Amino acid sequence: MRLSSKWGRWLAVLCLLVPTALLQGCWDIRDIDNRMLVGAMGIARDDERGVTIWVRFPIPHAQQGTTSNDKGFLAASQRGKTVVDALDRLRARMPKYLDLSQTRAVFVDKKLAEEKGIYSFLDFAVRDRILPISAVFALIEGDMDPIFTRPNPSGELSGVYTRLFFEKYAGGTPQKNKVTLWQVFNKHYNPLQQNFVPLIAADDTFQFYLKGNMYFSGDRAAGTLTPDESLIYELVTGKLSPFEIETAGGANVKVETSSARIRTAWAEGRPDIDIVIRVVMKLMDASHTKPMNKQNIEQTIDRLLEDRAAKVFSVTQARESDIFGFGNRFRASLPTARHKEWPALYRQAKISVKLESHMVNEGLKLLRQ
């Protein structure tokens, strides 16, 4: 019995050793020291009927003392016939492996988006999955050079600080409208909703600033909404965060919460969309020149937002750009074969908007009645 037990233990040890001998080492691994991680990437139009890509690499603190670069990052650009061709040409110049797996932000030139569209230049990201689809996406107006070559005044974590510009827990605001790559492609393949992405430009003090948000018609950027007009998109889609401040008759109010009730139907062969938006706000600063009571401020806010909403719906309908996703509400009543007709149907839609504002927390300073 003891002999059998002894041989059993040796057999168990042998069973553990044999598979270990068959295991192979990591023959194709690339150490972190042999990689150059891309933090942010840009795609711009080239005058020679090609494209120019921009990349920005963070330089680890341990390596900064061994190089003449004390900016904390390295920026590079490369021309090519396509984005993939430009990346291949860039790899031929680099001493280390070009790693796009940690990219935090992807930028595309505004003119490129308007004239040629964006999807043909981003198709490689989905097919090969070399870019994370969670990377934030934005359009850039003007030259990309200062955005990629200037140091970040708030510190350098290339790409990370770029992403923080859009995050709600950091520098994000409702107007900045954070959009990721997967959301861009999701709406591209959904004819019932169009893309709505932020537009930024280089800033003299900070790295860049928000100019507005661009709405798309099909593959191409069709127009721009100002940051204030973008508030309507946030209210209708329910994405508003409590950071927006509106000015009503000299009184500043802060929108705390909002909810939208949207009713859709067909009327005389065209979509009929009725929207009621309820806004809860609080008084931040009463007017010192023209005292207003609570009711006056609420009515002023209602008129302000209703007029702004009418303008936003007018310009987006004219370009057949349903950025609000109303088409998704008609999915059940619209045959699949007619989904491609939705942009034209949205142009004909009857849209009515009503605001219902309610002010709370009027503050220690009482409003005059």
Side-chain angles (χ1 to χ4, degrees):
M1 192 72 179
R2 293 182 180 178
L3 184 63
S4 176
S5 176
K6 179 179 179 181
W7 281 105
R9 288 196 297 268
W10 279 107
L11 182 61
V13 173
L14 184 62
C15 291
L16 292 175
L17 292 177
V18 170
T20 305
L22 298 177
L23 293 178
Q24 298 181 358
C26 299
W27 58 273
D28 61 344
I29 192 171
R30 291 187 178 94
D31 292 332
I32 189 66
D33 294 341
N34 296 325
R35 298 170 180 256
M36 294 188 71
L37 303 176
V38 175
M41 178 180 177
I43 304 173
R45 183 181 60 174
D46 188 77
D47 295 334
E48 300 175 359
R49 297 182 180 180
V51 296
T52 298
I53 63 169
W54 288 87
V55 289
R56 183 156 165 158
F57 309 97
I59 298 179
H61 292 288
Q63 297 181 9
Q64 291 183 26
T66 61
T67 67
S68 58
N69 187 350
D70 59 353
K71 295 185 295 185
F73 69 93
L74 174 66
S77 63
Q78 178 63 56
R79 292 180 176 180
K81 296 179 181 179
T82 63
V83 176
V84 175
D85 179 53
L87 288 172
D88 288 340
R89 292 172 182 264
L90 182 60
R91 290 188 182 98
R93 297 167 48 196
M94 294 177 53
K96 297 183 179 182
Y97 175 70
L98 176 63
D99 192 341
L100 297 168
S101 65
Q102 303 301 315
T103 305
R104 295 294 189 269
V106 177
F107 300 132
V108 172
D109 179 36
K110 174 189 174 184
K111 292 184 178 179
L112 188 68
E114 291 175 328
E115 298 175 5
K116 297 185 178 182
I118 62 174
Y119 304 106
S120 60
F121 300 98
L122 296 174
D123 195 40
F124 76 98
V126 174
R127 292 184 180 275
D128 197 21
R129 297 297 297 271
I130 60 176
L131 277 175
I133 58 176
S134 60
V136 295
F137 178 83
L139 300 179
I140 289 185
E141 182 175 83
D143 190 8
M144 284 195 183
D145 182 88
I147 290 180
F148 279 85
T149 58
R150 285 178 49 191
N152 193 324
S154 60
E156 185 55 43
L157 280 175
S158 181
V160 175
Y161 279 106
T162 302
R163 187 182 183 92
L164 293 181
F165 178 80
F166 298 97
E167 295 287 1
K168 290 184 179 181
Y169 61 80
T173 65
Q175 302 99 321
K176 289 182 181 180
N177 183 34
K178 175 190 169 186
V179 177
T180 60
L181 270 182
W182 76 265
Q183 290 174 316
V184 170
F185 278 95
N186 176 54
K187 293 177 182 177
H188 171 59
Y189 293 106
N190 179 14
L192 302 178
Q193 186 173 6
Q194 299 293 327
N195 267 300
F196 189 55
V197 302
L199 174 66
I200 59 177
D203 186 72
D204 294 334
T205 303
F206 299 100
Q207 194 171 17
F208 41 72
Y209 71 98
L210 180 74
K211 292 205 68 174
N213 291 275
M214 297 202 73
Y215 52 90
F216 277 64
S217 179
D219 186 23
R220 302 183 180 185
T224 306
L225 297 183
T226 66
D228 288 338
E229 292 170 344
S230 300
L231 173 64
I232 302 302
Y233 171 80
E234 302 290 330
L235 289 172
V236 173
T237 58
K239 296 181 179 180
L240 182 71
S241 55
F243 294 103
E244 180 65 26
I245 296 178
E246 285 290 337
T247 301
N252 295 327
V253 297
K254 180 178 181 180
V255 177
E256 290 288 341
T257 61
S258 68
S259 62
R261 178 182 57 79
I262 303 176
R263 293 180 177 176
T264 58
W266 292 95
E268 299 179 353
R270 64 173 186 168
D272 188 356
I273 304 170
D274 180 68
I275 308 171
V276 177
I277 301 176
R278 294 181 174 87
V279 174
V280 177
M281 56 190 180
K282 68 179 181 181
L283 182 66
M284 300 294 291
D285 184 21
S287 173
H288 301 283
T289 59
K290 185 182 177 181
M292 301 175 66
N293 58 31
K294 176 181 177 181
Q295 184 179 7
N296 293 145
I297 295 178
E298 291 174 345
Q299 291 175 349
T300 304
I301 286 289
D302 289 344
R303 288 194 300 269
L304 174 69
L305 295 180
E306 286 174 355
D307 292 343
R308 189 179 296 173
K311 179 182 178 182
V312 170
F313 289 131
S314 176
V315 297
T316 56
Q317 284 186 276
R319 299 306 300 269
E320 300 182 353
S321 179
D322 178 13
I323 59 176
F324 306 96
F326 294 136
N328 294 320
R329 296 175 178 270
F330 289 89
R331 186 182 295 272
S333 59
L334 189 67
T336 304
R338 296 190 60 195
H339 283 183
K340 293 183 178 180
E341 300 176 16
W342 175 250
L345 291 171
Y346 175 68
R347 184 188 184 101
Q348 304 169 9
K350 177 186 176 182
I351 304 177
S352 59
V353 185
K354 182 181 179 182
L355 265 293
E356 297 179 355
S357 298
H358 177 61
M359 189 165 64
V360 297
N361 294 340
E362 300 173 14
L364 295 177
K365 181 176 180 180
L366 298 177
L367 298 175
R368 300 178 186 177
Q369 299 296 327

